[in-house]
Amino acid sequence: MFALIDCNNFYASCEEVFNPSLSKKPLIILSNNDGCIIARSKKAKELGIQMGDPAYLFKERVDRGEIQMLSSNFTLYADMSQRVMQTLESYSPQMEIYSIDEAFFELEDRSADRLCEDGLKIRQKVKQWTGIPVSIGIAPTKTLAKIANETAKKHPEFSGVRVLISQFEIRKQLEKTEPEDIWGIGSALAQRLRTGRIYTACELIDREDRFIQHLIGISGYRTVLELRGISCFPFEEESEKKQSIVCSRSFGRKVSDIRDLEESVAAFASRGAEKLRNQKSRASFLSVFIATSPFVQPYESRSCHIELPNPTSFTPELIRLAKKGLRSIYRPHFAYKKAGVLLGDFVDENSEQIDYLTPGNENPKKTKLMQTIDRINRRYGKNAVQFAAEGLDPSWRSNRANASPKFTTSWNELLKIQDLA
DNA sequence: TCTGGGGTCCTAGGACCC
DNA sequence: TCTGGGGTCCTAGGACCC
């Protein structure tokens, strides 16, 4: 049995924990650069506001006070996520953290009533300890647990916990489930299914194996097996290391000057190197990309790929290569809107294969330097120490006009119960 | 004027091998 | 006129997820 615990309207809920008055009106949370909507409270969803809608469409209604709008505050969301996960861990350390707001449990096969009872207890505890409402779906496979969870969220009569075990109930539910609402079926595959005259999950599981595989590939076929109750996506407890790391941002304004772009890719390389060291990896390649706005013609987007003779996580080296790569793809007179750095092909810090012909990078002094910088920044906050190449107060930085305080991670931004001033 | 960021897996086609 | 069969590895692009 799998249980999927999923936070309701997670980012919006995080904001409401610290500012309950936000729950009175629809609330939307914006992406980086205040570009588009990435989270909505229940009331905002009821207005029909879609994930990914551009923010400017709602500016008037925000000005009129009908809708509340916040920039994203990922520092807060990440911390709240940790609290939720820790609470869940107190039930069972065997847990798969699937995303910032979701986790799977593996459960023993017990009666539906007992499973439901346990679910309600977990839900109650998370709410009490963190203030975050969650929904729980329990079923024989992950894909079915996802569907159970969705229905728990949608229909209040389940009180936030739905157990989907009996063949009869599963089938009844699948008759009401559209292909797009199945985990792993997106708009493209759903369209393909429609060409095969499949309009519900139930019609999908009743089709021939060969036909399904031909239509939507091996991944789609696995999803169908899961819907039939055959588990194909195993429980994955240990969080594995990332295989690639991307750091990229849209700029707050259009950028044409190569010096600004250099600062930005230096900053992204630096952030990437930090993440790399965090998971004790070194990168064997780095790519850099820059792009103009995809909504304005002509669209210009270029990237380059640089192999590293010796895998490294040493920031100055990665900055140097990022800037070198940038210069090879930069073309003047374009209004760039976005840049990024991708690191990949990782090797473990401790099992490095050294190039016979090139002198190694990782002398102990460099390693020590990076460790020290990381320690200072962990203790005194992001960018307490940084590289000059990243620019001090850069003008290309993303917009973030309406962010809530870092209530839980910064002494200067603690929640004020009453303003004594 | 204004439209995010960070990932994973699969597949088809090209290059190559015997 | 007639030009094999079977395989691996790599990569770019597509599709998906949150």
Side-chain angles (χ1 to χ4, degrees):
Chain A
M1 279 301 148
F2 291 91
L4 171 64
I5 297 104
D6 190 323
C7 302
N8 301 351
N9 319 316
F10 183 55
Y11 298 166
S13 297
C14 288
E15 301 287 355
E16 286 173 5
V17 167
F18 294 91
N19 185 355
S21 71
L22 287 172
S23 58
K24 289 181 196 148
K25 287 187 204 164
L27 170 65
I28 52 184
I29 313 290
L30 305 183
S31 63
N32 266 309
N33 208 29
D34 291 345
C36 55
I37 282 101
I38 55 164
R40 305 148 293 160
S41 69
K42 190 154 172 291
K43 285 190 172 130
K45 284 179 187 173
E46 284 162 6
L47 285 182
I49 299 174
Q50 297 297 309
M51 186 80 126
D53 278 352
Y56 66 85
L57 293 178
F58 304 97
K59 193 170 175 305
E60 276 183 25
R61 284 152 89 187
V62 170
D63 289 343
R64 284 203 298 269
E66 294 166 19
I67 300 175
Q68 309 168 95
M69 193 166 82
L70 289 173
S71 303
S72 43
N73 184 348
F74 285 109
T75 312
L76 178 68
Y77 310 150
D79 187 60
M80 290 303 285
S81 170
Q82 240 188 33
R83 293 173 188 219
V84 170
M85 298 307 169
Q86 274 168 10
T87 309
L88 293 176
E89 239 164 26
S90 71
Y91 275 93
S92 165
Q94 265 94 54
M95 183 169 83
E96 175 186 341
I97 298 179
Y98 177 70
S99 76
I100 192 164
D101 73 332
E102 289 168 273
F104 285 105
F105 275 139
E106 205 173 23
L107 301 177
E108 290 190 18
D109 198 350
R110 280 181 296 166
S111 79
D113 287 345
R114 290 225 18 216
L115 289 169
C116 190
E117 231 174 83
D118 288 350
L120 288 167
K121 270 190 220 154
I122 293 174
R123 189 168 182 276
Q124 215 282 328
K125 186 165 171 182
V126 175
K127 175 76 185 166
Q128 187 180 347
W129 285 20
T130 67
I132 301 289
V134 301
S135 299
I136 302 181
I138 300 172
T141 68
K142 283 183 167 180
T143 306
L144 288 170
K146 271 271 186 189
I147 290 177
N149 189 294
E150 266 324 293
T151 61
K153 226 176 249 177
K154 237 184 241 164
H155 305 289
E157 63 267 28
F158 293 117
S159 309
V161 180
R162 173 98 195 266
V163 180
L164 206 51
I165 295 184
S166 81
Q167 281 305 312
F168 175 73
E169 287 239 8
I170 291 175
R171 199 169 171 86
K172 224 170 59 182
Q173 179 57 52
L174 294 186
E175 281 169 2
K176 291 184 280 188
T177 304
E178 289 179 29
E180 275 99 334
D181 297 332
I182 302 167
W183 189 41
I185 308 287
S187 58
L189 293 184
Q191 182 54 43
R192 250 184 260 173
L193 289 175
R194 278 191 288 272
T195 66
R197 298 182 192 288
I198 294 167
Y199 303 99
T200 70
C202 201
E203 289 168 346
L204 178 56
I205 60 170
D206 287 344
R207 294 300 282 263
E208 232 184 304
D209 290 13
R210 277 227 320 265
F211 175 80
I212 296 166
Q213 228 191 98
H214 184 250
L215 195 62
I216 54 173
I218 189 71
S219 322
Y221 178 59
R222 279 190 202 123
T223 293
V224 172
L225 289 180
E226 285 245 320
L227 291 174
R228 290 177 182 160
I230 302 160
S231 180
C232 299
F233 306 135
F235 185 74
E236 282 165 12
E237 203 188 323
E238 73 277 27
S239 73
E240 275 165 27
K241 294 181 178 183
K242 301 261 182 278
Q243 298 172 32
S244 63
I245 289 173
V246 176
C247 289
S248 80
R249 285 288 176 280
S250 294
F251 302 132
R253 61 171 175 85
K254 286 168 180 139
V255 173
S256 297
D257 191 331
I258 191 160
R259 284 168 297 186
D260 288 329
L261 290 170
E262 277 180 347
E263 275 182 10
S264 75
V265 300
F268 302 145
S270 176
R271 210 73 334 105
E274 227 174 278
K275 294 187 197 174
L276 209 49
R277 294 192 294 271
N278 258 331
Q279 65 163 38
K280 304 198 183 318
S281 300
R282 287 176 182 157
S284 309
F285 82 77
L286 169 154
S287 39
V288 185
F289 59 91
I290 47 177
T292 61
S293 167
F295 305 100
V296 179
Q297 295 304 322
Y299 175 59
E300 157 90 355
S301 163
R302 305 183 81 188
S303 66
C304 70
H305 178 107
I306 301 175
E307 295 285 338
L308 281 63
N310 287 299
T312 186
S313 59
F314 185 56
T315 303
E317 175 69 0
L318 292 169
I319 289 181
R320 186 181 71 78
L321 292 170
K323 286 167 76 172
K324 185 178 152 199
L326 170 69
R327 284 192 287 270
S328 75
I329 55 175
Y330 169 79
R331 295 205 282 167
H333 314 305
F334 278 99
Y336 293 103
K337 196 68 177 106
K338 181 176 180 168
V341 168
L342 167 71
L343 303 171
D345 243 344
F346 299 151
V347 298
D348 201 87
E349 243 177 31
N350 304 315
S351 58
E352 190 186 355
Q353 177 67 54
I354 294 167
D355 187 329
Y356 177 63
L357 298 173
T358 333
N361 269 317
E362 302 311 315
N363 76 41
K365 271 187 175 173
K366 291 178 174 174
T367 307
K368 188 87 189 163
L369 176 61
M370 290 300 106
Q371 282 171 355
T372 308
I373 289 177
D374 289 340
R375 225 173 22 239
I376 292 172
N377 284 336
R378 259 198 295 277
R379 176 153 179 188
Y380 295 102
K382 259 185 197 157
N383 277 354
V385 184
Q386 64 155 78
F387 287 82
E390 300 172 41
L392 300 161
D393 200 26
S395 63
W396 43 265
R397 196 176 283 160
S398 302
N399 298 319
R400 200 158 166 272
N402 195 15
S404 54
K406 297 184 206 119
F407 292 113
T408 59
T409 53
S410 164
W411 287 112
N412 302 324
E413 302 176 41
L414 294 184
L415 180 66
K416 284 186 190 134
I417 303 300
Q418 187 179 14
D419 207 328
L420 295 175

